[in-house]
Amino acid sequence: MPQPRYTTVPKYNSRVLVRGDVGYEVCRCNNPTADTPDRFPSEIHVVETPTDVATALKRATELGTTVGIRSSGHIMNLGNLIQDGILIDTVNLNRHINYDPVTREIAFGPSCRVEELAAKLKEVNRFFPHGHAPTVGSGGFLLAGGQGWFVRGWGATNQQWILKMEIVVPDGRTVIASRTENQDLFWAARGSGLGFFGVVTRFWGRTIPASKMWERILKFEVNSDNYETLMTWSIERGRDTPKYGTDLNLTIDYPQKYDPAYTTDDVPPGAKLHLTLNLLCYTDTLREARTLLSAYDNMPENVREWLIQFHPVQSRTFEEVFNRKRGFLGNSGKERWQINSIMNDPAVPLPRLLQAIKPAHLELPTRTTSVFMCHCDIVPDEEDAVLSLPQDLYISTVTGWTDPKLEPAIYQNMRDHYRRAFPVAVGQYITELDVNNDDANTKVFSDTALAKFLKIRAKWDPKELFPNYKKFVQAHDKINRLQNKPSL
């Protein structure tokens, strides 16, 4: 059966879909990647209320099976698809956004998309650091931590911006979790991603007055000879840039990625990689924006000689960025994606880091594969949330292809590159932990945060309705064995 085109507003003929039903396979495959694994839940519950969620959890208990949750499907390894389990699709769960002008808080459901939040915030002239990709759902984004807009100074979205959550816990109760109520649940939810042991049905977040967004763009030709020079300059200039109100992003890809004249997965003969810096800031005036992004003004000759395009600081809207992002994952329904990532160990010198990640950045196996890196500068507070690894740089490669015949070999290239980068990594972003293969999986929490998380999980989910946490444990144990292995 051909892959249906991904939609954020699907229509199904029933709230409970079973295999063989009209709509079951469309729902199961409604993900941005056409690479849907052959795992088939016994039932898919398209929930709309906390009561519906409780019914789905009860049904899983009756069947003696486990549960996976989907808010938008952007976690490409699709750990929410559990063979013979229950998939809870939250696409219609509290799919509305409310703004309280008295408290200046925004409340929304887990499948409210980034672009929907942005539209509401624009309407009320407020700011909340939602994600960068327009079709990402709030549930997956926030439970993973939330590398939101201007994260460098304002912190991960679930660190500084989320005030409370409404959660249906495994026994079917609906509870509120915050810093003053069910504190352990609130602690465990913020950063545990698909390993969380409950279903968040609503978030409440604080907002601040809206300002203006600005962007500066620099594009270079990058190759094996100049990689270290360009990357060193780019990263060091980022570290010289004020953290508060800036959003610094780097991509490496083939310009033919977006060219409709190219239709195969092959890298065109003679194609040259481009390194692009998308440098954004959030402030009231052009003068302030130029100051915030001025670290990139002084470009040495050995960097300037590779410059292809230069766009000075100019006004930008969230809608414009979203339109650019829409093409990143394609829209034909045929694109297949794998994401591998690490977060660097801040103590590792930059030359050593670049040496380790260079193959993952330059040896791209297909025309549509891209590198993405951003400055996060997230400092964790393990007392406050399970989000516990420092996030200096988020470093990833998104492998893309359309031809299923490339599988399974296509997966292994980047797995190997990122596995070899373990020595320079503190861990990885939790959304990229692969439930299908452990080769490139590394830590997603500190050891102490994981130990605390497991105790809280055992309290709230003693029957283990939510099994994905086991992959965290497996990866942690593997890395600890590697780190403790005596040198020969």
Side-chain angles (χ1 to χ4, degrees):
M1 176 183 295
Q3 171 77 10
R5 189 168 295 196
Y6 175 65
T7 176
T8 63
V9 286
K11 303 293 183 183
Y12 303 117
N13 64 336
S14 173
R15 289 195 191 183
V16 179
L17 302 169
V18 298
R19 198 169 181 183
D21 280 353
V22 175
Y24 172 92
E25 191 64 7
V26 173
C27 184
R28 190 185 76 91
C29 296
N30 190 32
N31 308 291
T33 178
D35 181 27
T36 303
D38 289 332
R39 295 196 298 269
F40 299 89
S42 61
E43 297 177 1
I44 302 175
H45 288 239
V46 186
V47 297
E48 296 185 9
T49 67
T51 300
D52 292 342
V53 175
T55 299
L57 296 179
K58 180 181 178 182
R59 180 63 174 155
T61 300
E62 291 172 350
L63 294 175
T65 190
T66 54
V67 174
I69 314 297
R70 180 169 68 190
S71 64
S72 66
H74 275 257
I75 297 177
M76 299 303 175
N77 57 70
L78 302 178
N80 46 33
L81 291 181
I82 297 172
Q83 181 66 34
D84 300 322
I86 298 289
L87 171 61
I88 298 179
D89 188 331
T90 67
V91 68
N92 297 323
L93 177 57
N94 287 331
R95 186 77 179 265
H96 52 82
I97 304 165
N98 297 318
Y99 173 71
D100 187 328
V102 176
T103 64
R104 298 176 177 176
E105 294 173 9
I106 191 168
F108 49 92
S111 273
C112 288
R113 307 302 161 119
V114 161
E115 59 189 346
E116 295 166 0
L117 287 169
K120 182 64 175 182
L121 291 161
K122 181 179 180 180
E123 174 190 322
V124 298
N125 199 33
R126 302 292 289 181
F127 172 83
F128 170 85
H130 47 64
H132 295 71
T135 59
V136 163
S138 303
F141 169 72
L142 289 169
L143 288 179
Q147 293 174 341
W149 279 100
F150 312 110
V151 63
R152 303 184 66 218
W154 286 332
T157 304
N158 73 16
Q159 277 182 309
Q160 306 293 342
W161 298 82
I162 295 300
L163 304 172
K164 62 181 179 180
M165 304 177 185
E166 179 185 76
I167 303 172
V168 180
V169 293
D171 64 12
R173 289 178 298 136
T174 300
V175 303
I176 297 295
S178 69
R179 287 187 172 86
T180 59
E181 190 173 0
N182 293 310
Q183 295 98 323
D184 58 346
L185 197 62
F186 192 61
W187 182 92
R190 290 175 298 127
S192 57
L194 279 181
F196 184 55
F197 41 86
V199 183
V200 178
T201 55
R202 193 186 306 269
F203 297 92
W204 285 263
R206 68 180 182 91
T207 66
I208 61 173
S211 185
K212 298 177 182 178
M213 184 156 64
W214 310 86
E215 183 177 36
R216 181 179 195 178
I217 301 174
L218 304 173
K219 189 183 292 288
F220 304 87
E221 181 185 317
V222 63
N223 54 52
S224 181
D225 294 330
N226 67 12
Y227 173 82
E228 287 83 1
T229 298
L230 294 180
M231 289 292 290
T232 299
W233 181 81
S234 300
I235 292 171
E236 293 292 7
R237 295 296 73 73
R239 289 172 173 171
D240 289 341
T241 298
K243 292 182 180 180
Y244 191 83
T246 58
D247 199 285
L248 311 177
N249 307 284
L250 179 152
T251 57
I252 297 175
D253 53 28
Y254 290 105
Q256 293 87 352
K257 172 179 178 176
Y258 304 102
D259 189 335
Y262 295 89
T263 58
T264 71
D265 297 315
D266 299 332
V267 176
K272 296 179 180 180
L273 287 169
H274 288 177
L275 182 157
T276 304
L277 299 178
N278 293 100
L279 313 168
L280 298 110
C281 64
Y282 201 62
T283 190
D284 292 339
T285 69
L286 175 59
R287 184 172 183 172
E288 292 170 344
R290 287 171 174 163
T291 299
L292 281 173
L293 300 176
S294 62
Y296 297 85
D297 287 347
N298 297 320
M299 191 180 298
E301 185 55 38
N302 63 344
V303 172
R304 184 179 298 276
E305 67 176 307
W306 300 103
L307 184 67
I308 300 170
Q309 292 181 16
F310 168 80
H311 298 277
V313 178
Q314 56 192 288
S315 64
R316 188 70 69 218
T317 66
F318 287 108
E319 292 91 344
E320 287 172 334
V321 176
F322 293 159
N323 287 336
R324 190 166 65 204
K325 292 281 187 178
R326 276 180 224 286
F328 189 78
L329 294 179
N331 58 13
S332 73
K334 300 178 181 179
E335 294 88 356
R336 308 164 86 86
W337 303 102
Q338 171 182 271
I339 306 178
N340 298 103
S341 73
I342 60 167
M343 297 179 299
N344 66 301
D345 182 345
V348 171
L350 185 54
R352 184 181 169 208
L353 172 66
L354 294 178
Q355 181 183 31
I357 64 175
K358 184 175 181 178
H361 281 189
L362 297 184
E363 297 174 17
L364 307 188
T366 66
R367 175 179 58 86
T368 54
T369 297
S370 299
V371 169
F372 177 72
M373 187 182 81
C374 65
H375 289 260
C376 292
D377 298 293
I378 296 173
V379 179
D381 179 359
E382 195 172 310
E383 293 298 313
D384 183 61
V386 71
L387 188 77
S388 50
L389 297 179
Q391 298 183 30
D392 175 33
L393 298 170
Y394 166 79
I395 301 165
S396 68
T397 304
V398 184
T399 305
W401 67 102
T402 58
D403 185 356
K405 295 186 180 66
L406 294 177
E407 302 161 15
I410 188 71
Y411 303 108
Q412 202 58 40
N413 180 272
M414 284 300 157
R415 286 173 180 164
D416 290 343
H417 285 328
Y418 277 87
R419 175 178 53 81
R420 294 186 188 109
F422 283 170
V424 301
V426 71
Q428 72 182 127
Y429 197 49
I430 199 166
T431 59
E432 273 87 73
L433 190 126
D434 191 347
V435 300
N436 305 310
N437 182 285
D438 188 55
D439 286 0
N441 289 345
T442 181
K443 293 185 178 183
V444 295
F445 309 138
S446 71
D447 290 345
T448 50
L450 176 60
K452 181 177 178 179
F453 175 84
L454 292 176
K455 289 180 180 179
I456 298 171
R457 189 218 61 78
K459 168 189 167 183
W460 287 93
D461 187 20
K463 296 181 180 179
E464 298 196 337
L465 276 181
F466 297 84
N468 277 315
Y469 79 93
K470 296 176 182 178
K471 291 295 181 179
F472 306 165
V473 177
Q474 180 181 341
H476 276 69
D477 288 347
K478 175 187 71 175
I479 296 300
N480 284 340
R481 286 195 302 271
L482 290 172
Q483 290 174 339
N484 294 328
K485 185 175 180 180
S487 300
L488 298 179

